[in-house]
Each structure stands twice: as C-alpha cells, then as structure tokens.
Amino acid sequence: MSSLSTSFFSRPWLVFTSAILFRVALLMYGRWQDANSPVKYTDIDYLVFTDAARFISWARSPYDRATYRYTPLLAWLLYPTSWGGLWFEFGKALFAVGDIVTGWLAFKVLREHKGMEVARAMRFASIWLLNPMVANISTRGSSEGLVAAIVVALLWAVLQKRIVLAGALLGLGVHVKIYPFIYAASIFWWLGPETVGSLKAHGKNADRPAWLDRSMTFFNPARRRLIASSGVTFMALNGVMLRCYGLPFIKHTFLYHFTRIDHRHNFSVYNTALHLNSAYSAEAPGLQIESLAFIPQLLLSVLAVPLLLAKKDLASTMLAQTFAFVTFNKVCTSQYFLWYMVFLPFYLPDSSLLQKPKLGIVALLLWVFGQAAWLQQGYELEFLGMSTFMPGLWLASIGFFLINCWTLGIIVTDVDTKKHAMAACIAPESKKDR
Amino acid sequence: MKQRITYILLQGHGIDPETIQTSNDTLTLATAKDAAVEKRVTAGLSELPQEIVTALNDVHELHIRWTSRVNYDASSPFTSRLPPGLHVFFTPRKADADVNICPLLHQLFSPDLKCDSISQSFSSPPILSERFSHSSSYQYFHPLPRVLQFQTYLARSVCGEFKGPCVREAASLSYASYIDIDFDAISHAVTMAAFWRAGIEAEAARTLPRKWREGDSLEVGVLQVEDADEPEELKMGGYLTVVGEDDGPSPTLFSFPSRHHPLPPSSPATFSTNFQQPAGLHPKLDITFPSSQHLAPPKDSCALHAYLTLPSALFIDRYQLSDPLFLASQNLVTLHSLSGEQDLEAPDWVIKRWGSAALIELTQPPSTNASGGRDAKEWTVTIPTHLRYLQSLSDDANSNSSGRSTLDIPWPTVFWACEAEEGLKMSVNPFDRVNLGYDGLFGPKTMFYHIPPALPEGQAFLLETLEVPVLDPKQGAAWGVQIWTLVAVVLGFGWVLWPLVMSAGRGGEEGGQKKAGVKSE
C-alpha cells in the first residue's frame, strides 16, 4: 500500500494528471447538475462575476451588478464567459488552472528551497492539488483559488529572489483581495542582510551622515525594489481601474470592506458583540470591542509574527500571519480557511503536528470539532429558525477562536524552534543572489 | 361636496322599490344589512382643513389605499383587491421637488409608520407600460392593521364642519374592508371611498345615507349584478335616487367594460398562504390553491399572478428568481417586477425604505387530459424569500426573553391577468378602480380576474405570522458578551504572543549583532 502510494507520488505527471482530471470531472458534473437540478453546483458568487463580465462586454461598469465587490480585473479576466455556451465555464476552468499552478509552485518551492525528494514534495503539494475542498471551491467558481495562486507565486518569486516580480505579485494580491498586504511585512523583514547578503563589501561612503547610512542599510536594494515594485503595481492597477470605473471601484473594492457591518453570523469571535452593538447602538458601550479588533490582529499578523519569525522560515511565517489574521478578524467564513491552508505544504513537513502524530490528530480533531459545533448552532438558526444567537453561537465562536489560538501557538513555537535548520538552508542561497 | 352611495344586493333576488324610502335629505334601505355598500365622497379643496390643503400643495397625485386584514367577500363591481395594509402611491408636482408627505401620513394614520422622506422611504415602481397614465412615481406600504387614528382625525378635524352624526360615519370605517383616498392637482378635489362587505352584524357599521350640509348632492344606487352580454362587461340593474331631487327611486339598467372581474362561476378558485415550517432565515411562502380543477383561466390569454408587498424585514432575491429550472421547481414562471428595497446584505435596522413590491407570474397547473381538464388535487406555488436580521422588540412588554420576534406578513393578491379586446374604454366604468400598484405593471387593456383568499380554520386575519430568531440584548447583557469576548481575545492573543515574546527576549541580542554587523552600502 505504502509502496503504491510512493510510486504514485514519485511520478509528478501522474499526480498532476489526476488533479487535472479530478477538476475536469467536477466541471462536467457541475455543468450537468446546473442543467438538471434546481439546486445549483455553481457558486452564487460566480454568477456575480459572470454578470459583471457581461456588463463589461456591454461596455458598462461591473459595479452595475449588485454585490460585485471585486476588482474589475476579475470581470475582465472572465470576459470570455460573456460569449455564452460552454464559455460560461471559462472562469471556473481558469480558477481550476490556478489550483494546478498553485500546486506546481508549491512542489517547486518544496523541491528547490526545502530540498525535498520528489515523492515527499509531491505528497505535501497534494494537500492542495488533490484536496477535494480546494477542487470543489474552484470548480464551483469561487475566486479564492486564484488568490491562493497569486500568494504562492509571491512566495516562490521571493524565494527565487525575483524581487521585482514578487513586488508586482504583492501589489496585485493586495489589489485583488487586500489581505495579502500582511505578507509585505514578512517579506520585507526577510529580505535582510542575512538573506540577500551583507552590503559591507561596497565600503562606506564617507560623505554620508550616519543616520542616512543606517537607513540605507535598512532599506537595502532588495527591500527598495520590493517597495517600489509593489507600490507601483498596486497604484497603477488602482489608477487604471479608478480611471475606467470611477469612484464605484474604490467604494465597492476597498471602502466596502471597511464600512460593511458584518452582522450576519460567522465564525468570528467578535460576531455576537458586533451584532449587539450594531443592532442596539443606543445601549452599546462607549468603546466597542470590535472597533478595536484590528489591534491584536495587526499586532500579531504584521508586527510580532513577521518580525520574530520571518527570517527563520518565510513560508511558515506567512502561514502563521494568515492564521492570525483570519483568527482575529472581525468576520470569518470558511472560505478564509483556504487563505492559510495553501501554506500547509510548507509548514507541515517539519511541524510538531506531524512529528508528534497525537498532537497533530488532536489539533485536527479540535479544529473540525470547533467548526462542527458552530455549524450545528448555525444550522439550527438558519434552517430551523431556532434562536441560537445566545449563548450557542457565541460560545461556539469563542471555543473555535480559542482552539485556533492554541493551534497558532503551536505553529509559532514550531517556526521559532526551527531557526537553525533554516539558517543553514538559506545561507548558500544568499550568496547566489548577490 | 358630493356623495354617492351604492348598495349591492345579491344577484337573483330582485329589488323591491318599496324597500327604498326617501325624504328630503335622507334615504332608508330596509335591506341595507344584506347589501355590500360603497360610499364615495368628493370634496373640493376649499372644503377641507387648511393643513390638508397645505400638505397637498406640491402634490400632483396622491392615492391612498388601505385594506383591512379581515377577509371579505367581494361583490361585483367591487372585486379588486390589495394585500392588507396601507398603500400609498404618490407623484410630486415637480419631479425634483423636495416634497415630503411623511408628516401627513404620520398625522393621518400612525406615528409609527417607517417614513422619513420620499427619497429614503418610498420606492419607485418601474414604468412597464408607458401608455398607462395611472402609474405613480413613488410607492409606500405599511402593514397597518387599523385606521383608528384616521377615524379620530376625521372626527376631530373634519366632522366639525357638518351637521348631524358625522362622528358615526367616521366610526363606521372600523368595519370597512377597504378605504381609498384620491387627490389629483387637476381636479383639485379629494375623493374618499370606502367599501363594506354584505352582512355585517354590527349596527355601527351602517349609517343612514343623508346630506351632510345644505347644497350637497347625494346619489344613492340600489343595484344588483345582471348577466352581462359581453365577457368584458359588467351589467348592473336596480334603482337610482338623487336625494332631494327625485320623488322616488327610478329604475335603471346599465352595462360598462370593467377592468376588474370576479372569477366566472365555473371556476370558483380560492387560495391560501402559509410559510413552510420551520421557516428559518429563508422563509418559503407557499400559495396553495385547494383544487387545480377550479384553477382554469377565465379566458385564453390569461396568466396567473401574485402581487406581494413585503415589509423590509423580508425580501426576494431577484438573482435567485432568474434561473428557469429553479423557477420551474417552485411552480413560478417569472419575476415580472421587483421594486423597492433590494439590498441583499443589510440588516433591517439600517434599512430606511418600507420594503419591496413584487409581481410574480405563477405556473398554471398542467392539464391532465386531452380536453384541457385538470384534476382535483391541490396546487402549490412557492415564493422563496429571505429574512433580514432584526432587532428584538425589547420595548414590547409581551416579548419574552426567548430571542424571538414576530413579523406579520400580508397575504399577496392573486389574480388572472387577461388581455382585453382593443378599444375598450375601461374608464367609463363608474366603479373603476386604479392605482393599485399591480395594475400599472400591465398594459391599459388588461382585465383582472381576482381569486379570493380563503382563510384556514382558526386563522383570523390575512396575515402570516413569522417567528424570527433575534439576538436579545437582555440575554447578551446577562451573559456579559462584551466582557467575556474581550477576555477570550486577550487570552488568545496572550497565548500566541507568549512564545514570540520569549523568543524576542532571546533574539534581542542577535538582532543587535546583526545591525552592528552591517555598515553601509
């Protein structure tokens, strides 16, 4: 059995072919279900995307479609869906291709930067490639897979020291989904002298004041390139979109996320407090806890985690950042779990969750149980009309939050204690780059 | 001031002119209790209280339709229906003028109406038929159960002008099945009409037709329906009396094309409405016709429709109702029109608009035999709706702390819409009723055959009550949601930060060394 699986995973073409066929089958099944059942396989969001693409094909704004909250880039990307017929599936196929690219990049990173043998790298890349949840989400037409592809491509580009490309991907990622801005912190910090090499060799310019000297050191060429490239990409994309689609672009793509109420029940620990304070604002306390939610969230995901872990293992740091960002977010739905799942192939191989299988199983079971408890309460509310807001959903969200914090604690400790191995791994790389 | 009172007696019994007694300014109908009655009063602006005249200053057209939640047997020619509650259709004199009739509505009907301004609280129904001049620019609805405040207003501010027991006229409106108030700037007059069903026991429902003031005119008809010669027409026969001018009732027989019709006796369909249980946050509204057999179109070109006015707490997702397979699975044909509040995400406490109005074409039951016959099985169509998150009615003394709120959703109006022949002049109908919300969504040559609602045993009103789960602030306070959420966040945050802080303690020296090691570019 195990030799069978090893022979499967040691043949990448076989794994990729399986991953592709799996998605093709799902796409075909989805088309059949949509045509024959009133219950649709296709995600509602996909209808929003394709409607927006149709508006674009009529030379109108994608924001003419209600609830289109994305960059117009996405609607443009899905332009062929407006041709109708089989082309309707184009976007889903594109998202599925995004999955495969993500898996391929993960495989490359594991091979080239973690020095894994083929079968082992393929096994971990398959956490994404052969994951039914991932394949299902993409083929139903959710764009999360595309964001994952951008983020893993970003990781790959950074590790390859293709800094301009990485900056462009970072700018694109933030333009598309905002949250990847957290990676700016870890990548910036990672691009320190120990990674890109010391600048000592160039010698000291005597005319320069010490403070300028220090800041030039801090903002080394790699970091400057990253800032410039990501800034230019982000602003250029926004500039073009603003010019073409005006203020609705800013309103729906960015401002919406800061003004939305997010009162509907979701996994977030803040949800009940937020719901109470929004619905009964007269009785709400002067300082509303959810309005300060960004403080622990950003302290962890853009300050503490990247500063203390990025130089030890960039990929795992990005996992910890994303996990912290999602766990401490004001709103949290299951699609957000994909944001950190894409980094699992890089973290898991040396993690204590795999090295101590009992710990790993407990963590997995707790994570599943935390969600199941919440989902059960949510089901009773949404479909049975039972008032489970208090205390069921609230306690379930607190329980899930604490489980996630516990897991995050393990991840953070793992990355922290792994530093020597990684430092050894990175050292030869940095020479090559300079 | 002109009054027109129309008694409608049951068909086929004949009307004995001896039952009609007239005096100089009154008329007595001995069989009044068995008759449905419509009373219509037209007053010039000069006859109305100054505050009303001022409020109507910038109004081009205003049509108010209130329908009782109590079910009633409609009597031809008064067969048109609306969902129970207060409907307002309004066109300002100038399109861009900042007219606000909300204060007037608050004063006349209820201070609780969710009405801030025209632009925020009213909806704009689509103009589907350009030729149809009756569509108003703005629409408003509130499921107002009673018109007590309106009656009080009439008694206090209007009755003072008239002699006699005017207050009793206002009181009798408690028994009315519907009340129409119409104003338009061209005629410069306000018309109020009310309809009472036949056979109301309470004496207070009936008032004696009489002139309220010297110089008023009063016309009383005592009529019954006769068999019409044309399907588009209604024929009425009986006696007309112009009180004070005629010596006695004069016989009459007249016919006219009519927009609204009762169902033909051959297909006596009814419908009832209920939410599938458990309703959850996505209630499905079932409209059930007890017998497919009776659900036969009155003419060939007819389509079955439901018109819903949904308070803002409930809404229809137009995108959900765009898939043919899904529509077919719910026995729906198409969502013809949806106007008003359509935000799919906002909670009810941020919504300012009254809600939304929907016109949906329903699937007709399939014929089960070659000759187009249908079986006697019941036929159900389903309208999927969605709930917004609601506030708990914590100020309501009756609400327990179980975290639930109740919503009363009016039954829809269900009818066949049929194409009428060209050249019919519906407006010559002396009993024509327009501005009902749905009529403006069809062409002018449309006839409506109304399907009467039938309340199930034990249900009193044409309202469906929904139990909605809500987050109760009292429970939130009792559990200390704010403080314990904070404790959880601080705990979780501390748990994650602790190993990092420990690491920082160890790594601080390292970082310092690194910085020192790097000199310059």
Side-chain angles (χ1 to χ4, degrees), chain B residues 89-102:
Chain B
F89 304 95
F90 166 73
T91 307
R93 186 166 289 189
K94 294 192 200 81
D96 52 347
D98 188 22
V99 194
N100 193 355
I101 59 164
C102 289

Side-chain angles (χ1 to χ4, degrees), chain A residues 304-359:
Chain A
V305 169
L307 272 185
L308 296 162
L309 302 181
K311 294 185 177 179
K312 293 168 182 165
D313 178 353
L314 181 62
S316 299
T317 302
M318 287 165 84
L319 167 71
Q321 280 181 288
T322 322
F323 206 112
F325 189 87
V326 171
T327 301
F328 285 83
N329 203 21
K330 251 166 51 168
V331 56
C332 177
T333 60
S334 48
Q335 61 166 11
Y336 291 24
F337 302 154
L338 281 194
W339 295 358
Y340 57 76
M341 263 168 77
V342 74
F343 290 112
L344 284 180
F346 313 113
Y347 160 72
L348 280 181
D350 325 307
S351 70
S352 54
L353 296 180
L354 278 197
Q355 276 154 13
K356 299 179 218 158
K358 269 187 198 155
L359 184 69

Side-chain angles (χ1 to χ4, degrees), chain A residues 204-217, chain B residues 519:
Chain A
K204 187 176 155 62
N205 186 332
D207 300 335
R208 239 179 234 165
W211 64 266
L212 185 58
D213 209 49
R214 270 201 301 278
S215 60
M216 292 294 275
T217 309
Chain B
K519 291 264 165 64

Side-chain angles (χ1 to χ4, degrees), chain B residues 113-171:
Chain B
L113 296 184
K114 187 168 156 181
C115 189
D116 300 320
S117 69
I118 298 297
S119 59
Q120 285 194 316
S121 310
F122 279 59
S123 60
S124 303
I127 311 294
L128 294 190
S129 164
E130 302 252 324
R131 292 184 298 162
F132 205 65
S133 56
H134 293 298
S135 304
S136 300
S137 322
Y138 296 105
Q139 179 175 6
Y140 178 83
F141 171 76
H142 181 87
L144 185 74
R146 285 176 297 268
V147 281
L148 204 60
Q149 184 167 325
F150 180 60
Q151 295 170 270
T152 313
Y153 179 84
L154 287 181
R156 284 209 184 122
S157 306
V158 182
C159 276
E161 306 271 313
F162 306 104
K163 63 184 173 93
C166 166
V167 173
R168 278 174 57 187
E169 301 277 356

Side-chain angles (χ1 to χ4, degrees), chain A residues 179-417:
Chain A
Y179 87 89
F181 79 89
I182 58 176
Y183 306 132
S186 49
I187 295 170
F188 182 89
W189 191 239
W190 184 78
L191 288 172
E194 39 311 63
T195 314
V196 295
S198 167
L199 305 168
K200 224 178 192 171
H202 294 269
K204 187 176 155 62
N205 186 332
D207 300 335
R208 239 179 234 165
W211 64 266
L212 185 58
D213 209 49
R214 270 201 301 278
S215 60
M216 292 294 275
T217 309
F218 186 71
F219 290 100
N220 64 27
R223 284 173 172 174
R224 272 182 271 159
R225 250 177 281 153
L226 179 78
I227 294 173
S229 161
S230 60
V232 165
T233 310
F234 181 65
M235 293 320 289
L237 285 170
N238 290 347
V240 170
M241 296 308 161
L242 185 61
R243 212 182 139 77
C244 294
Y245 300 105
L247 284 179
F249 157 66
I250 299 287
K251 193 179 142 205
H252 292 289
T253 313
F254 297 126
L255 296 185
Y256 165 75
H257 295 283
F258 297 99
T259 55
R260 60 194 279 189
I261 304 173
D262 286 322
H263 61 288
R264 292 179 181 221
H265 62 287
N266 60 68
F267 289 111
S268 171
V269 66
Y270 296 106
N271 179 252
T272 307
L274 189 154
H275 185 166
L276 277 172
N277 292 338
S278 170
Y280 314 101
S281 50
E283 299 157 38
L287 194 58
Q288 297 172 10
I289 171 171
E290 77 279 4
S291 64
L292 300 176
F294 70 95
I295 294 176
Q297 181 186 30
L298 295 187
L299 272 181
L300 281 179
S301 62
V302 302
L303 211 66
V305 169
L307 272 185
L308 296 162
L309 302 181
K311 294 185 177 179
K312 293 168 182 165
D313 178 353
L314 181 62
S316 299
T317 302
M318 287 165 84
L319 167 71
Q321 280 181 288
T322 322
F323 206 112
F325 189 87
V326 171
T327 301
F328 285 83
N329 203 21
K330 251 166 51 168
V331 56
C332 177
T333 60
S334 48
Q335 61 166 11
Y336 291 24
F337 302 154
L338 281 194
W339 295 358
Y340 57 76
M341 263 168 77
V342 74
F343 290 112
L344 284 180
F346 313 113
Y347 160 72
L348 280 181
D350 325 307
S351 70
S352 54
L353 296 180
L354 278 197
Q355 276 154 13
K356 299 179 218 158
K358 269 187 198 155
L359 184 69
I361 287 169
V362 167
L364 180 66
L365 286 181
L366 278 176
W367 188 73
V368 170
F369 168 80
Q371 270 184 78
W374 187 94
L375 286 170
Q376 190 265 341
Q377 293 294 305
Y379 174 82
E380 289 193 353
L381 169 70
E382 185 140 16
F383 297 100
L384 305 183
M386 296 161 71
S387 191
T388 56
F389 287 115
M390 281 307 295
L393 270 175
W394 176 59
L395 290 179
S397 71
I398 286 189
F400 187 55
F401 169 78
L402 291 176
I403 289 169
N404 278 323
C405 286
W406 176 73
T407 314
L408 183 56
I410 295 174
I411 296 172
V412 162
T413 313
D414 272 359
V415 183
D416 195 33
T417 52

Side-chain angles (χ1 to χ4, degrees), chain A residues 34-38 40 51 65-67 69 193-194 199-200 202-205 208 213 216-217 221 224 256 261 263-265 269-270 272-273 275-280 283 285 289 296 299-300 304-305 308-309 311-312 328 381-387 389-391 394-395 398 401-402 405-406 408-409 412-413 416 419, chain B residues 278-282 315 317 319 323 325-326 329-330 343-350 387-394 402-404 467-477 479-482 484-493 495-497 499-504 506-507 510 514-515 517-521:
Chain A
D34 282 0
N36 291 287
S37 166
K40 302 299 169 192
D51 281 354
R65 172 57 161 87
T67 73
R69 318 272 190 213
E194 39 311 63
L199 305 168
K200 224 178 192 171
H202 294 269
K204 187 176 155 62
N205 186 332
R208 239 179 234 165
D213 209 49
M216 292 294 275
T217 309
R224 272 182 271 159
Y256 165 75
I261 304 173
H263 61 288
R264 292 179 181 221
H265 62 287
V269 66
Y270 296 106
T272 307
H275 185 166
L276 277 172
N277 292 338
S278 170
Y280 314 101
E283 299 157 38
I289 171 171
L299 272 181
L300 281 179
V305 169
L308 296 162
L309 302 181
K311 294 185 177 179
K312 293 168 182 165
F328 285 83
L381 169 70
E382 185 140 16
F383 297 100
L384 305 183
M386 296 161 71
S387 191
F389 287 115
M390 281 307 295
W394 176 59
L395 290 179
I398 286 189
F401 169 78
L402 291 176
C405 286
W406 176 73
L408 183 56
V412 162
T413 313
D416 195 33
K419 58 186 168 186
Chain B
L281 299 182
H282 309 280
F315 65 92
D317 179 355
Y319 299 106
D323 175 55
L325 272 176
F326 178 76
S329 73
Q330 310 296 306
D343 192 315
L344 307 176
E345 293 156 333
D348 198 48
W349 56 85
V350 303
L387 273 171
R388 294 184 194 285
Y389 282 42
L390 302 180
Q391 283 167 314
S392 157
L393 301 167
S394 50
S402 64
R404 327 195 126 262
E467 287 253 304
V468 184
V470 292
L471 175 53
D472 186 343
K474 281 176 283 187
Q475 270 181 295
W479 280 85
V481 163
Q482 312 283 348
W484 286 109
T485 302
L486 182 67
V487 167
V489 170
V490 169
L491 264 179
F493 181 68
W495 177 264
V496 179
L497 201 63
L500 289 170
V501 168
M502 295 309 288
S503 157
R506 279 179 275 117
E510 252 175 77
K514 273 170 210 155
K515 269 179 198 155
V518 179
K519 291 264 165 64
S520 70
E521 198 169 333

Side-chain angles (χ1 to χ4, degrees), chain B residues 438-454:
Chain B
Y438 54 86
D439 54 350
L441 303 173
F442 293 91
K445 304 275 180 261
T446 306
M447 301 200 311
F448 302 96
Y449 289 82
H450 292 271
I451 301 181

